[in-house]
């Protein structure tokens, strides 16, 4: 194939499943446990070990992981939680499930993550008013870690609980430590949806170093129920005994999913290394395209490169984003947009948010285009993508 031959459809993201992954799932299907068997603990231990965290709790999605993380943080009616408007709705919804009020901190236009300066300013203003947030959820947008050491040092005087939304960032590092080590946060949440770095079909995970949070998360994942004698209010009547201590959910991952996740995490460094190679080829191949800004880099660590997001000045280019999407679709190149600012969603507008409130996120959205980024994107296919993009963008 050369850069003019049209390959089959190239999506913006997709999973990579190898024979070992298939074997791991089939082996679980043949075993006696489809859920709550040995594979869950195996996957949890693998993630905790990889991230250098003491504990990990698997869930059936990152959305449910965020929900129980917010509950374990004590979030409830009368509280407030903050996140970035440039994220998937789940980062904001999790606190609403608990009855908390949402607010946002605008993004840094250089790296598209929550602006730490804006955060500092907003916290100071809120302290004067006496309504500080209880929980802040920084999002490691596109796979690079927010400067969590700075976030921790700014928020610690206010007693804020930090939950990292690292749905994009398993495999990333910050200042020498893996994202998920929770060095500067109470909890970190990962997603294993197929478009993310590693997959379990659907699935999520929370890492933490706090034993109490761990025990609470484990109960919340499974109806608030425990059989652990250390937590029972009464001595057990028999081996069937259990007690419900909290109002929990069924947010359990299956062993089938955990078998896939355990198999996938063995390749995580290979996945992330390839994503870094792909990012480098995009930087080299698109550097000189007019009206296009390439992604900004925070530095101090390795990005997992979940997304590669261009910012295109469509006005100057003289084409709409829709036209660019359609032209590239005809060439079998899939694009996407990350993200429609959460505060502009109809549900959030009904809560009182309006356009103009978080101008950096809104401007970023108006120019953002995510281009294909996934492990199996070969160098040849990527050259094709770059060539088609360049010609669509008038180069
Ligand atoms: C994908 C994603 C989620 C939700 O993950 P699920 O596993 O699909 O529930 C949450 N936050 C961000 C930033 C995401 O990209």
């Amino acid at each position: 194939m050369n850069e003019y031959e049209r390959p089959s459809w190239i999506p913006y993201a997709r999973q990579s499943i190898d024979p070992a992954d298939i074997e791991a799932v089939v082996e679980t299907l043949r075993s006696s446990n489809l859920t709550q068997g040995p594979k869950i603990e195996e996957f949890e231990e693998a993630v905790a070990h990889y991230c250098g965290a003491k504990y990990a709790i698997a869930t059936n999605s990152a959305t449910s992981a965020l929900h129980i993380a917010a509950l374990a943080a004590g979030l409830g009616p009368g509280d407030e939680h903050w996140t970035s408007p440039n994220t998937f709705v789940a980062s904001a919804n999790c606190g609403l499930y608990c009855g908390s009020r949402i607010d946002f901190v605008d993004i840094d236009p250089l790296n598209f993550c929550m602006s730490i300066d804006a955060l500092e300013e907003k916290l100071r203003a809120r302290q004067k008013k006496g309504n500080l947030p209880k929980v802040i959820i920084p999002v490691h947008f596109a796979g690079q870690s927010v400067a969590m050491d700075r976030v921790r040092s700014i928020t610690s005087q206010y007693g804020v609980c930090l939950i990292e939304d690292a749905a994009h960032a398993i495999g990333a590092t910050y200042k020498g430590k893996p994202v998920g080590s929770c060095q500067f946060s109470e909890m970190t949440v990962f997603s294993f949806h197929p478009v993310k770095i590693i997959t379990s079909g659907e699935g999520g995970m929370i890492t933490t170093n706090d034993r109490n949070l761990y025990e609470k998360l484990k109960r919340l994942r499974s109806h608030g129920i425990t059989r652990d004698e250390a937590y029972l209010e009464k001595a057990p009547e028999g081996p069937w005994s259990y007690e419900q201590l909290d109002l929990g959910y069924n947010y359990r991952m299956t062993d089938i999913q955990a078998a896939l996740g355990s198999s996938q995490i063995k390749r995580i460094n290979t996945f992330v290394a390839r994503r870094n190679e792909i990012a480098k080829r995009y930087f080299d191949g698109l550097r000189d395209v007019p009206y296009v800004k390439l992604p900004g880099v925070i530095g101090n660590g390795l990005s997992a490169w979940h997304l590669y997001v261009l910012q295109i000045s469509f006005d100057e280019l003289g084409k709409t984003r829709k036209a660019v999407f359609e032209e590239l679709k005809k060439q079998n190149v899939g694009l996407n947009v990350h993200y429609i600012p959460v505060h502009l969603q109809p549900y959030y507008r009904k809560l009182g948010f309006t356009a103009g409130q978080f101008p950096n996120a809104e401007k970023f959205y108006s120019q953002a285009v995510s281009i294909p980024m996934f492990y199996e994107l070969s160098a040849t296919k990527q050259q094709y993508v770059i060539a088609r993009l360049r010609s669509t963008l008038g180069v």
Side-chain angles (χ1 to χ4, degrees):
M1 193 191 92
N2 66 40
E3 65 186 46
Y4 300 103
E5 261 174 81
R6 192 164 71 170
S8 54
W9 178 247
I10 302 172
Y12 90 94
R14 67 161 289 154
Q15 69 277 11
S16 166
I17 300 294
D18 75 0
D21 295 333
I22 294 168
E23 186 48 44
V25 171
V26 170
E27 192 186 301
T28 299
L29 285 170
R30 293 201 169 110
S31 77
S32 53
N33 292 296
L34 296 189
T35 193
Q36 289 184 288
K39 289 293 166 184
I40 297 291
E41 273 180 30
E42 186 184 314
F43 189 27
E44 288 174 338
E45 275 167 25
V47 172
H49 179 76
Y50 182 79
C51 295
K54 280 197 187 137
Y55 310 104
I57 301 95
T59 58
N60 56 8
S61 72
T63 302
S64 41
L66 284 163
H67 181 195
I68 59 174
L71 282 173
L75 205 60
D79 295 327
E80 228 180 83
H81 63 291
W82 294 358
T83 189
S84 164
N86 181 34
T87 186
F88 185 55
V89 292
S91 322
N93 288 345
C94 61
L96 298 182
Y97 300 151
C98 310
S100 166
R101 264 166 48 100
I102 175 75
D103 205 350
F104 300 93
V105 179
D106 205 358
I107 61 167
D108 181 334
L110 298 180
N111 58 50
F112 333 128
C113 292
M114 179 186 280
S115 156
I116 297 177
D117 292 339
L119 173 64
E120 191 168 20
E121 203 176 301
K122 191 165 177 134
L123 282 167
R124 233 185 269 126
R126 285 302 196 82
Q127 188 179 35
K128 287 197 190 118
K129 287 204 209 157
N131 60 343
L132 286 160
K134 184 181 264 184
V135 169
I136 296 177
I137 306 159
V139 181
H140 302 317
F141 180 78
Q144 61 179 339
S145 176
V146 171
M148 287 305 299
D149 50 348
R150 283 195 63 206
V151 175
R152 174 99 283 175
S153 80
I154 284 164
T155 56
S156 58
Q157 60 174 304
Y158 304 108
V160 171
C161 173
L162 297 177
I163 302 172
E164 297 174 63
D165 182 339
H168 299 182
I170 195 163
T173 63
Y174 181 70
K175 291 199 173 167
K177 289 221 173 175
V179 166
S181 72
C182 298
Q183 192 188 1
F184 303 111
S185 67
E186 274 63 43
M187 291 171 270
T188 300
V189 170
F190 296 116
S191 170
F192 309 122
H193 181 280
V195 298
K196 309 289 163 75
I197 312 291
I198 61 169
T199 189
S200 60
E202 293 276 3
M205 188 85 72
I206 308 159
T207 58
T208 184
N209 295 315
D210 183 315
R211 173 92 208 201
N212 289 328
L213 286 174
Y214 171 67
E215 295 294 345
K216 183 118 202 189
L217 290 164
K218 252 192 354 188
R219 286 203 302 273
L220 288 169
R221 169 178 73 178
S222 199
H223 309 280
I225 281 171
T226 187
R227 292 172 194 274
D228 184 339
E229 286 198 36
Y231 293 90
L232 296 181
E233 293 196 355
K234 289 193 311 193
E237 284 175 50
W240 64 86
S241 286
Y242 58 83
E243 284 182 359
Q244 184 191 338
L245 303 178
D246 313 284
L247 185 60
Y249 302 85
N250 178 354
Y251 282 170
R252 295 188 301 264
M253 180 183 274
T254 66
D255 263 43
I256 306 165
Q257 292 166 310
L260 178 54
S262 290
S263 174
Q264 287 255 306
I265 200 172
K266 295 185 181 136
R267 289 198 286 159
I268 188 163
N269 290 338
T270 316
F271 285 164
V272 171
R274 172 72 57 80
R275 286 171 176 275
N276 275 271
E277 286 166 23
I278 293 171
K280 184 171 184 311
R281 284 199 288 263
Y282 278 139
F283 279 115
D284 292 342
L286 298 169
R287 200 190 302 282
D288 59 328
V289 182
Y291 319 127
V292 171
K293 256 196 278 177
L294 304 183
V297 170
I298 294 175
N300 284 316
L302 186 73
S303 172
W305 284 110
H306 165 53
L307 301 170
Y308 192 93
V309 183
L310 302 178
Q311 285 167 96
I312 303 173
S313 299
F314 293 100
D315 292 343
E316 290 178 283
L317 177 67
K319 271 187 194 177
T320 64
R321 178 159 52 185
K322 202 168 161 210
V324 168
F325 265 61
E326 277 164 7
E327 274 185 47
L328 283 158
K329 190 177 170 197
K330 282 194 201 128
Q331 314 282 344
N332 275 352
V333 175
L335 305 175
N336 210 328
V337 172
H338 301 90
Y339 284 98
I340 302 166
V342 178
H343 68 286
L344 299 182
Q345 293 292 349
Y347 185 85
Y348 283 81
R349 286 179 188 263
K350 280 183 209 141
L351 297 177
F353 293 100
T354 55
Q357 268 186 297
F358 304 101
N360 293 339
E362 292 169 29
K363 170 139 196 266
F364 174 70
Y365 163 64
S366 72
Q367 302 193 326
V369 175
S370 302
I371 62 177
M373 169 57 87
F374 54 91
Y375 175 72
E376 290 179 9
L377 181 63
S378 66
T380 343
K381 279 197 179 172
Q382 193 185 358
Q383 287 316 325
Y384 170 84
V385 171
I386 290 170
R388 293 305 99 211
L389 264 168
R390 291 178 66 91
S391 82
T392 301
L393 298 174
V395 191

